[in-house]
């Protein structure tokens, strides 16, 4: 199970996240979108991959919440640039782990690329 504490222990800069429920929801979403139904999440390499993807989704959702929240502190162009920077950083965490994971699978499967990794991954 991915938690804020686990993400912090693995070195992710998670100080912006205050709600553990957001991590629980992100983990459930990632498992459905990026892993086959028979994935064994007890393996350490899969746990690392799961954490990277959860962190990326949490960053994406945090950026979206900030953008559409009641207070927007910067103009629209600046927000777009900030969103792109956040997603680029999120992808930089997730891509190496997920690429290795995909390459380790014997049977390819279709995944739902909700974070937008597909255009960046080269298998």
């Amino acid at each position: 199970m991915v938690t804020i504490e686990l993400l912090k222990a693995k070195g992710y800069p998670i100080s912006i996240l205050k709600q553990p429920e957001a991590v629980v929801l992100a983990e459930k979403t990632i498992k459905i979108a990026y892993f086959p139904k028979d994935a064994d999440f007890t393996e350490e390499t899969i746990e690392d991959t799961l954490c990277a993807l959860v962190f990326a989704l949490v960053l994406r959702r945090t950026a979206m919440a900030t953008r559409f929240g009641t207070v927007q502190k910067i103009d629209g162009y600046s927000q777009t640039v900030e969103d792109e920077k956040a997603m680029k950083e999120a992808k930089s965490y997730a891509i190496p782990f997920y690429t290795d994971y995909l390459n380790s699978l014997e049977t390819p499967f279709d995944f739902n690329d909700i974070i937008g990794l597909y255009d960046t991954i080269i298998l």
Side-chain angles (χ1 to χ4, degrees):
M1 181 174 171
V2 179
T3 62
I4 292 174
E5 292 74 25
L6 178 60
L7 292 172
K8 284 181 182 179
K10 290 189 176 285
Y12 292 99
I14 201 77
S15 62
I16 58 170
L17 186 63
K18 306 293 184 219
Q19 298 173 323
E21 300 83 10
V23 175
V24 171
L25 180 59
E27 178 181 7
K28 288 178 183 177
T29 305
I30 290 295
K31 283 180 175 178
I32 292 167
Y34 284 98
F35 292 94
K37 291 183 182 355
D38 62 348
D40 180 6
F41 293 102
T42 60
E43 294 180 30
E44 187 175 344
T45 56
I46 292 182
E47 181 184 82
D48 288 341
T49 303
L50 181 60
C51 285
L53 291 167
V54 167
F55 179 68
L57 183 57
V58 166
L59 277 182
R60 180 182 184 137
R61 288 179 172 170
T62 301
M64 294 303 290
T66 301
R67 182 175 203 177
F68 294 108
T70 56
V71 177
Q72 188 165 354
K73 297 178 183 171
I74 52 181
D75 65 48
Y77 173 77
S78 297
Q79 185 64 50
T80 300
V81 170
E82 289 303 311
D83 290 350
E84 288 173 6
K85 286 167 123 178
M87 283 316 300
K88 185 175 181 179
E89 180 179 352
K91 289 179 185 184
S92 75
Y93 286 102
I95 288 170
F97 286 107
Y98 197 64
T99 302
D100 289 348
Y101 173 73
L102 288 177
N103 287 329
S104 74
L105 296 176
E106 292 179 18
T107 307
F109 73 102
D110 291 327
F111 59 92
N112 183 8
D113 192 18
I114 59 175
I115 301 172
L117 298 177
Y118 185 78
D119 59 339
T120 314
I121 295 176
I122 300 172
L123 300 174

